[in-house]
Amino acid sequence: MNLNFRKCYEIFLIILLFITLADMKAQVNFNDIPMIGAEVFIEPGQSDENVESWFKILRENKMDVTRIRMFENYMKDANGDWDFTLFDRAFSYAEKYQIKVYANLFPATDFTDVGGFKFPYNEEHLNRIADYIKNVVLHFKQFSSLYGWVPINEPGGGSINDPLARAIYKKWHDDYEDSKQSNKLTAYNHLSFDNEKFLLHYNTWYLKWLSDEIRKYDKEKPIHVNNHQIFTLASQYDFPSWRTFLSSLGGSAHASWHFGFFPRNRYDIAISANSEILRSGAGNIPWMMTELQGGNNIYSGNKPICPTKEEISQWFWITIGSGSKGAIYWCLNPRASGSEAGEWAMVDFQNKPADRLVEAGRIGAVIDKNRQLFAEARPLNSKIHVIYIRESMWVENRLARRASDFEARQAGAVMKSALSFFEAFSHMGLQPSFEELGEFDFSKSSYKGHTMVLSNQIAIPETYDDKLRYFVRNGGQLIIDGLTGYYDENAICRMMNDFPLEDLFGGNISEFKFTDNLFQLQVDQEKLPSHALKGYIVPVTGKSIGFEGDKTTGLTNQYGRGRVIWIPSLVGLGTRIEDDFESFIRFLRRYVNISEEIHFEPFQNDMLMKTLKNEDTYISIIVNKSDSKQDVKIIAPFELKKPTILFSNCTALMTDNVLSIESEETVVISWSLR
């Protein structure tokens, strides 16, 4: 009997081992269970006891993933020979506590280089990086805790003036000159945007080169990358090309570094917009938020903060509501020396979990309890597409004044204008997408019910003229404001003489006049806050909806089965500056039918909602950023039954379809159609 019991027990242990290994196996797909984790920072001087404790703390707080920065500087002995001891210990403890590890490649660089270089300096440097990748990948792929590779930390923003860049530029430019099509307006001299186009290419080239080097030695593990500063660097990222060699897309979203366009009470909108940009960029591959701020700033960051435990919840759940397969906080333990020493951590200086980590553990427990529900849930986006255009950002960065009292003249106005519409729809409880124009799907046969927003997208490449016509002709609605379409991709003004989009927009521009920082624009019974520039239209086929005396300041234009609403003044940006969305939202609701969407009634100026769907189950994530308790009515086009609060970090109460939610509270509710 004892022998039989022992054999059964051994079989049980073997089965348990296989289950554990299967759970740790890297399978990056849309049905993965969302992961939550925090980065473990490895450096010399750490005790064995401390290193083990960090992986134990992760497991005790329901975290299942980490990322480790693989410093080449800490992988060589005094003779310059490879010595992986420091990182072997970390990977071994990850195995012991069943923590998945994303290994972030970090070739040798100066100690003061916090984020890592973005491009190699020359051919010899490129070869050294290749040798580093070979040794690191071959060594660490043996660990079952290895989940995947991050080939570079936060690409974007690098220099194109180093020797390697200039050599690659020459080949790229020769090929580009041979293949580019002539512009219709070749009679005009124009600015060159070759550097911007090359940087777009070079970021992709280097990221693919790194990925190819990894694949020489590891054919299986996922490859994932985290871009950063999305609101200023988005024009450098060719996400559709990245999809062809990445397993998943990621991003860094650090409030203190990356959210300079937002006040703190709008960081929920910032996380939401950042997430939607990443989801659009990821397209047919999964995405997850690789870095979320987890701890305090002292000298680091542009706008120093220490996240509250409430923000820790808000940020994570908003990414989940945007389709993320999880998030990793930066970071679990603080580095001990150099820049950021003692900062950013989720454990305190006694190595005890801070309230932020405890809160993250509560989130992990909810995910673990509802694994399949969240694994198979997909974002229920509204049919509203807020668009940014890469070339608009390029032109703006070239022409904008760095020092100006007017946001319209500063770099960032293009993105802030798009964000103003995104924020307005979010306050309605809707879930708009946020896409680069090149990522939008123009292949559908019908766009009935869809709305596209081009807010102050100052440069529209000519190649999109017919695509925009196709969208509207086939039932789509196009909302345009500000200087949208003022330039082409070469910064040539298109609105002089024969405006090529007259048929679509419904008229021509008479002129723009620079006015006050804020002024009221009367459009369709609403006084809309507007900023700096006022545009006057000469209607051709459009019907005037905005007037100043006998001058037209806004119109609608029927085009095929669709419609265009055109207001050539900065009403979106003006609303954002004034921070009063009431009249703007009333205006939008006249033209955007939300009766078929899950939404708030009435709109909530300091709240947002993200909704997921898993077959007949809906999951709503609601965040209250107001300074008081709110009772909000949630409206759906169908009867949602059995509301169940899956997560709340305060005293949320759901009565019928009215949610009582406290200030700074995050609530996750599941609903059923049955």
Side-chain angles (χ1 to χ4, degrees):
M1 290 290 291
N2 287 338
L3 285 174
N4 287 337
F5 177 80
R6 183 173 180 178
K7 287 181 180 179
C8 289
Y9 183 67
E10 289 174 348
I11 292 171
F12 169 75
L13 290 177
I14 292 170
I15 293 171
L16 183 62
L17 175 63
F18 275 114
I19 292 172
T20 299
L21 292 175
D23 190 52
M24 294 183 70
K25 186 179 179 183
Q27 293 288 340
V28 180
N29 62 65
F30 286 102
N31 287 330
D32 281 349
I33 299 163
M35 298 184 293
I36 184 169
E39 180 133 354
V40 174
F41 195 90
I42 299 297
E43 61 183 336
Q46 297 168 335
S47 69
D48 186 79
E49 180 184 9
N50 269 347
V51 175
E52 179 174 10
S53 74
W54 295 327
F55 290 94
K56 184 179 180 182
I57 286 170
L58 287 174
R59 177 50 56 200
E60 289 174 345
N61 287 274
K62 306 298 182 183
M63 291 185 167
D64 47 15
V65 66
T66 188
R67 192 178 69 152
I68 295 177
R69 188 172 287 187
M70 310 293 285
F71 290 101
E72 181 181 3
N73 290 357
Y74 304 152
M75 294 179 175
K76 299 286 183 69
D77 62 20
N79 298 319
D81 297 323
W82 291 102
D83 183 350
F84 300 110
T85 304
L86 201 66
F87 294 90
D88 285 347
R89 177 174 64 180
F91 275 72
S92 294
Y93 282 133
E95 287 183 346
K96 178 177 179 179
Y97 292 100
Q98 300 174 29
I99 302 297
K100 306 179 180 85
V101 177
Y102 264 120
N104 180 193
L105 298 181
F106 212 83
T109 187
D110 190 88
F111 176 69
T112 61
D113 186 359
V114 175
F117 58 83
K118 305 310 173 189
F119 298 119
Y121 179 73
N122 55 23
E123 189 77 28
E124 191 270 335
H125 189 197
L126 189 72
N127 290 334
R128 291 205 313 270
I129 295 168
D131 183 64
Y132 158 79
I133 292 173
K134 175 183 178 180
N135 282 277
V136 169
V137 174
L138 284 174
H139 181 82
F140 286 97
K141 73 174 187 177
Q142 67 181 302
F143 287 94
S144 62
S145 53
L146 176 68
Y147 184 74
W149 300 100
V150 180
I152 182 174
N153 179 60
E154 298 181 342
S159 170
I160 58 171
N161 296 315
D162 293 332
L164 181 64
R166 299 325 294 168
I168 294 174
Y169 177 89
K170 185 180 185 308
K171 182 180 187 311
W172 168 85
H173 192 264
D174 290 344
D175 293 341
Y176 171 69
E177 285 294 316
D178 290 341
S179 64
K180 74 176 184 179
Q181 297 179 353
S182 60
N183 189 290
K184 292 179 182 178
L185 300 178
T186 49
Y188 295 107
N189 285 327
H190 59 77
L191 298 171
S192 170
F193 291 91
D194 284 359
N195 282 348
E196 288 83 356
K197 295 171 186 175
F198 173 68
L199 183 55
L200 181 71
H201 164 80
Y202 195 30
N203 272 315
T204 301
W205 176 89
Y206 184 48
L207 183 57
K208 186 176 188 306
W209 181 88
L210 290 167
S211 300
D212 289 345
E213 289 299 306
I214 293 170
R215 284 289 177 246
K216 287 180 181 179
Y217 315 107
D218 186 342
K219 306 291 187 185
E220 298 180 359
K221 297 295 185 182
I223 297 177
H224 171 94
V225 78
N226 57 312
N227 56 76
H228 67 132
Q229 289 283 12
I230 196 70
F231 300 116
T232 56
L233 297 183
S235 64
Q236 298 183 17
Y237 300 136
D238 183 3
F239 291 137
S241 293
W242 294 12
R243 299 170 193 164
T244 63
F245 54 85
L246 291 178
S247 309
S248 62
L249 184 64
S252 294
H254 297 311
S256 61
W257 280 122
H258 304 148
F259 293 169
F261 288 174
F262 303 84
R264 188 164 182 174
N265 67 341
R266 291 288 186 264
Y267 284 173
D268 59 329
I269 298 293
I271 287 284
S272 181
N274 194 326
S275 297
E276 291 295 342
I277 290 173
L278 294 182
R279 191 166 79 87
S280 173
N284 62 350
I285 63 173
W287 82 275
M288 73 174 290
M289 194 64 82
T290 329
E291 292 188 32
L292 278 175
Q293 182 162 356
N296 187 52
N297 300 124
I298 297 176
Y299 289 110
S300 63
N302 296 320
K303 295 170 68 175
I305 67 167
C306 181
T308 65
K309 63 184 180 66
E310 289 79 14
E311 287 172 322
I312 290 295
S313 284
Q314 292 164 14
W315 300 345
F316 181 87
W317 284 116
I318 288 170
T319 69
I320 294 298
S322 306
S324 170
K325 302 312 293 183
I328 301 173
Y329 291 96
W330 173 273
C331 51
L332 181 70
N333 58 299
R335 67 174 79 193
S337 62
S339 298
E340 300 185 351
E343 301 184 49
W344 294 90
M346 299 185 85
V347 295
D348 64 20
F349 290 166
Q350 281 67 53
N351 207 35
K352 302 296 183 184
D355 60 349
R356 301 177 301 283
L357 181 57
V358 174
E359 185 74 0
R362 292 186 62 237
I363 297 169
V366 172
I367 296 290
D368 189 59
K369 186 178 179 180
N370 301 276
R371 292 160 69 89
Q372 289 310 121
L373 176 63
F374 285 106
E376 298 173 7
R378 302 289 181 269
L380 190 69
N381 272 75
S382 309
K383 296 179 180 179
I384 299 168
H385 312 271
V386 177
I387 301 293
Y388 69 97
I389 300 177
R390 175 178 293 113
E391 290 79 3
S392 291
M393 298 176 73
W394 289 348
V395 172
E396 178 185 63
N397 284 331
R398 185 71 63 85
L399 301 180
R401 309 294 294 181
R402 294 302 181 254
S404 175
D405 293 333
F406 297 90
E407 289 197 23
R409 289 162 54 83
Q410 300 171 8
V414 162
M415 183 60 76
K416 290 177 183 177
S417 297
L419 286 165
S420 67
F421 278 82
F422 183 87
E423 183 170 347
F425 289 121
S426 297
H427 290 327
M428 298 184 211
L430 302 172
Q431 191 155 330
S433 62
F434 206 147
E435 307 162 67
E436 204 281 320
L437 185 56
E439 295 165 6
F440 184 80
D441 182 3
F442 285 102
S443 66
K444 298 179 184 293
S445 59
S446 174
Y447 293 94
K448 183 179 180 181
H450 287 261
T451 295
M452 178 189 291
V453 175
L454 294 176
S455 177
N456 195 38
Q457 298 303 300
I458 61 177
I460 300 178
E462 285 189 42
T463 53
Y464 287 104
D465 289 358
D466 285 340
K467 292 180 179 180
L468 292 172
R469 290 187 179 99
Y470 179 84
F471 170 78
V472 179
R473 185 187 303 119
N474 288 282
Q477 176 171 257
L478 183 61
I479 299 177
I480 307 161
D481 87 334
L483 294 174
T484 294
Y486 188 90
Y487 301 104
D488 71 359
E489 64 269 34
N490 296 307
I492 297 172
C493 182
R494 307 182 80 192
M495 291 184 169
M496 301 186 303
N497 304 318
D498 297 323
F499 180 37
L501 291 173
E502 172 198 290
D503 60 326
L504 179 63
F505 284 28
N508 294 287
I509 287 292
S510 168
E511 62 178 340
F512 289 95
K513 289 185 178 181
F514 207 97
T515 58
D516 296 326
N517 183 49
L518 285 171
F519 60 92
Q520 298 291 315
L521 192 73
Q522 184 75 37
V523 183
D524 201 5
Q525 304 174 44
E526 295 294 342
K527 289 184 178 180
L528 302 179
S530 195
H531 167 62
L533 287 161
K534 186 183 296 183
Y536 298 97
I537 305 171
V538 179
V540 178
T541 55
K543 176 184 175 183
S544 299
I545 59 171
F547 298 92
E548 186 181 276
D550 61 351
K551 296 180 179 180
T552 296
T553 56
L555 59 71
T556 62
N557 185 48
Q558 292 298 133
Y559 188 85
R561 298 196 301 274
R563 176 174 62 183
V564 175
I565 297 102
W566 185 22
I567 306 172
S569 297
L570 295 161
V571 293
L573 189 55
T575 296
R576 191 174 191 270
I577 293 170
E578 189 167 272
D579 194 24
D580 183 352
F581 283 80
E582 185 171 356
S583 63
F584 189 50
I585 288 175
R586 281 200 305 265
F587 172 78
L588 290 174
R589 289 200 60 169
R590 283 193 176 89
Y591 293 96
V592 180
N593 179 15
I594 67 172
S595 63
E596 297 182 2
E597 312 280 358
I598 297 176
H599 63 276
F600 295 141
E601 189 63 54
F603 83 93
Q604 302 294 314
N605 199 49
D606 298 295
M607 295 178 65
L608 66 70
M609 176 166 58
K610 313 285 281 189
T611 301
L612 302 161
K613 185 177 186 294
N614 181 348
E615 295 183 347
D616 289 337
T617 301
Y618 291 76
I619 305 167
S620 293
I621 297 161
I622 302 102
V623 174
N624 178 14
K625 293 297 292 183
S626 75
D627 57 8
S628 62
K629 180 180 179 179
Q630 300 293 319
D631 294 323
V632 58
K633 183 182 291 185
I634 298 173
I635 303 297
F638 33 74
E639 185 180 2
L640 290 173
K641 304 175 181 178
K642 303 175 184 176
T644 302
I645 295 178
L646 302 178
F647 175 90
S648 164
N649 52 5
C650 203
T651 60
L653 178 64
M654 193 78 202
T655 305
D656 296 326
N657 66 333
V658 177
L659 173 66
S660 294
I661 180 171
E662 297 286 348
S663 172
E664 292 295 321
E665 187 173 8
T666 300
V667 181
V668 182
I669 305 171
S670 70
W671 317 75
S672 177
L673 288 178
R674 299 178 181 177

